[in-house]
Amino acid sequence: LLSAYDLSRDNTFLDLAKMLGNRIRNLTSSAGVTPYSFNGGNGGNGCNTLADSGTNQLEFRYLARETGDMSWSERSDRFYDTIRSRPSVDGLWPICWENGKGRITMGADGDSFYEYLLKAWI
């Protein structure tokens, strides 16, 4: 929706993005943790992974910029503080970061987090 808005500047897409963004933001905890699914499930790893909570910051930051409402990005950005408070190995976290279990990977459930981390920093 945000890409369609960016290309067309049609506010219909921005309005739809805000509606979807509200649903996601309302399910995101005060620590910036976004659930794996909206029906309470945990993915194949049985946990919230790095990718679940660490890949929506760009979209929420863009939504904040386009609407002028920084509250769009504030909650999702808190995930960075949350993850930094967890044990890591040289700044790398296991995919099941909440319980400190799982593997550290640049593959499934991990690579997206590190990709978005770099994009958000740039």
Side-chain angles (χ1 to χ4, degrees):
L1 293 172
L2 291 173
S3 294
Y5 169 73
D6 191 60
L7 291 170
S8 69
R9 305 316 272 181
D10 182 339
N11 281 329
T12 302
F13 294 114
L14 185 61
D15 292 339
L16 289 169
K18 290 190 299 189
M19 288 182 350
L20 179 59
N22 265 327
R23 292 183 72 181
I24 296 169
R25 181 172 57 176
N26 290 338
L27 292 171
T28 302
S29 76
S30 61
V33 178
T34 305
Y36 167 75
S37 69
F38 299 109
N39 64 1
N42 285 319
N45 291 302
C47 64
N48 285 326
T49 67
L50 286 173
D52 298 333
S53 298
T55 57
N56 56 20
Q57 288 74 19
L58 294 180
E59 289 80 3
F60 278 109
R61 286 178 179 189
Y62 182 77
L63 199 51
R65 187 183 80 187
E66 291 302 307
T67 62
D69 180 357
M70 297 312 293
S71 71
W72 284 108
S73 62
E74 290 169 351
R75 189 174 296 180
S76 66
D77 279 349
R78 287 187 202 135
F79 181 69
Y80 294 137
D81 293 328
T82 299
I83 194 69
R84 280 195 303 263
S85 72
R86 302 295 178 144
S88 70
V89 176
D90 295 328
L92 300 174
W93 292 270
I95 54 174
C96 292
W97 61 273
E98 285 180 298
N99 60 19
K101 296 183 179 176
R103 64 194 183 285
I104 294 174
T105 179
M106 295 300 157
D109 295 318
D111 63 332
S112 297
F113 168 72
Y114 295 107
E115 174 190 338
Y116 271 64
L117 189 62
L118 178 61
K119 288 177 181 178
W121 180 76
I122 292 172

